[in-house]
Amino acid sequence: MSENSPMRDVFDAIADPTRRRLIQLLSASEELPLHELTSQFQMGRTAVSKHLTILKEAGLVLDRKVGRETRFRLNAEPLKEVQDWVGHYSKFWLANMMRLNQFLLEEEEE
């Protein structure tokens, strides 16, 4: 697998709450080893490793060997696809919030 051609859809990769938590943890650090990531979950190393593999297949996580340890870091670039998709729909939420605000202002005036 290359970084430029992920084997898995980014939306599929972030659909699971464990994987979203892994992304959050990795975004807070430059890189983390598997044992530190595993300590954040109520599951074993194998299960966390499987989730990391899915994130790697989507290009969201990169890894490197340091001695006997594998360290993981976030590659946030594929999340741009998610941001672009959500951004398209944010204009609908903004319009609804503005109408709600107008409604509440009118209610206060009455």
Side-chain angles (χ1 to χ4, degrees), residues 103-110:
F103 173 78
L104 293 173
L105 288 173
E106 290 170 5
E107 287 290 313
E108 282 181 10
E109 291 175 3
E110 291 180 0

Side-chain angles (χ1 to χ4, degrees), residues 11 15 17 19 26 28 34-35 68 75 80:
F11 289 95
R19 293 193 288 272
L26 291 169
L34 179 59
H35 72 273
R68 296 175 56 184
N75 177 32
K80 174 102 172 69

Side-chain angles (χ1 to χ4, degrees), residues 39 52 72 81:
S39 69
L52 286 166
F72 300 89
E81 182 181 350

Side-chain angles (χ1 to χ4, degrees), residues 84-103:
D84 291 346
W85 188 82
V86 171
H88 175 75
Y89 295 99
S90 68
K91 65 184 174 189
F92 298 107
W93 285 105
L94 181 60
N96 287 334
M97 288 297 158
M98 289 175 66
R99 282 198 304 262
L100 176 62
N101 186 45
Q102 183 63 36
F103 173 78

Side-chain angles (χ1 to χ4, degrees), residues 16-17 20 30 53 55 72-73 90 99 103:
D16 184 273
R20 290 193 302 271
E30 191 167 316
T53 297
L55 292 172
F72 300 89
R73 67 182 167 95
S90 68
R99 282 198 304 262
F103 173 78

Side-chain angles (χ1 to χ4, degrees), residues 2-93:
S2 118
E3 277 183 43
N4 298 327
S5 60
M7 299 180 339
R8 186 178 290 269
D9 181 79
V10 69
F11 289 95
D12 181 40
I14 65 168
D16 184 273
T18 299
R19 293 193 288 272
R20 290 193 302 271
R21 177 73 177 132
L22 283 166
I23 289 170
Q24 182 182 22
L25 291 167
L26 291 169
S27 72
S29 297
E30 191 167 316
E31 63 180 18
L32 290 170
L34 179 59
H35 72 273
E36 284 188 35
L37 290 167
T38 302
S39 69
Q40 301 295 316
F41 297 94
Q42 299 289 323
M43 61 180 75
R45 290 173 59 103
T46 302
V48 172
S49 185
K50 286 180 181 178
H51 284 292
L52 286 166
T53 297
I54 291 170
L55 292 172
K56 283 173 43 182
E57 290 173 353
L60 289 164
V61 170
L62 304 173
D63 63 352
R64 70 181 182 104
K65 284 279 192 189
V66 178
R68 296 175 56 184
E69 186 175 79
T70 303
R71 295 184 183 176
F72 300 89
R73 67 182 167 95
L74 177 65
N75 177 32
E77 184 64 29
L79 291 174
K80 174 102 172 69
E81 182 181 350
V82 176
Q83 181 184 25
D84 291 346
W85 188 82
V86 171
H88 175 75
Y89 295 99
S90 68
K91 65 184 174 189
F92 298 107
W93 285 105

